[in-house]
Amino acid sequence: MLADELGRAFNAVWPPATISGEGWSQARSPSLADFAALAGHALANLPPAIKAAVGDVQVRVEEFADDATLDALEIEDPFELTGVYEGVDLTRRSVFDVAPNPSSIRLFRRPILDEWCAGDVGFQALVEHVFVHEVAHHFGFSDAGIEQVEQS
């Protein structure tokens, strides 16, 4: 079942993190390329059935959502949006539709960094979690439905 597959994907990228106190003098803020690499890692590690269905989704990483996206979602604070799925989800597609533009997932670097700094989850796990959350929207899951899958 799709919900079970997504549940396993969430659990695979959301393990507890451990951080040692060493090495912080050389630490730097993760770049857009670092985020893109982590999203690519998350995509590569999706369960095969989900990965096959994701197929044509384009992944982009930006600093923040643009004003048009925030306005469309009625979000005032750009730090509140860590990612967004844009496109026609699989539940609303029809073979009779004109070929849709490829769907996309956008991850927003600064809000994810802000959430990471305020939380107790590892950085890679958080980026991959946001990515899998947006993949779930590709399959037609609402935020409430995703929350149920995450808790299963």
Side-chain angles (χ1 to χ4, degrees), residues 28-110:
R28 60 176 178 75
S29 177
S31 68
L32 293 172
D34 294 330
F35 275 76
L38 290 173
H41 181 264
L43 177 60
N45 288 297
L46 287 172
I50 292 178
K51 185 177 177 182
V54 167
D56 64 347
V57 172
Q58 298 175 351
V59 180
R60 297 190 323 251
V61 182
E62 302 168 10
E63 289 293 326
F64 286 102
D66 56 78
D67 289 338
T69 301
L70 294 170
D71 290 346
L73 296 172
E74 299 179 351
I75 296 174
E76 291 184 25
D77 182 355
F79 280 96
E80 291 181 17
L81 187 61
T82 56
V84 67
Y85 168 78
E86 297 172 314
V88 178
D89 68 61
L90 296 179
T91 64
R92 295 185 295 141
R93 291 187 186 177
S94 167
V95 294
F96 300 109
D97 291 340
V98 176
N101 291 330
S103 297
S104 67
I105 291 174
R106 291 192 294 153
L107 303 179
F108 304 116
R109 178 181 171 274
R110 295 286 307 280

Side-chain angles (χ1 to χ4, degrees), residues 20-33:
S20 73
E22 299 177 21
W24 284 98
S25 65
Q26 301 300 317
R28 60 176 178 75
S29 177
S31 68
L32 293 172

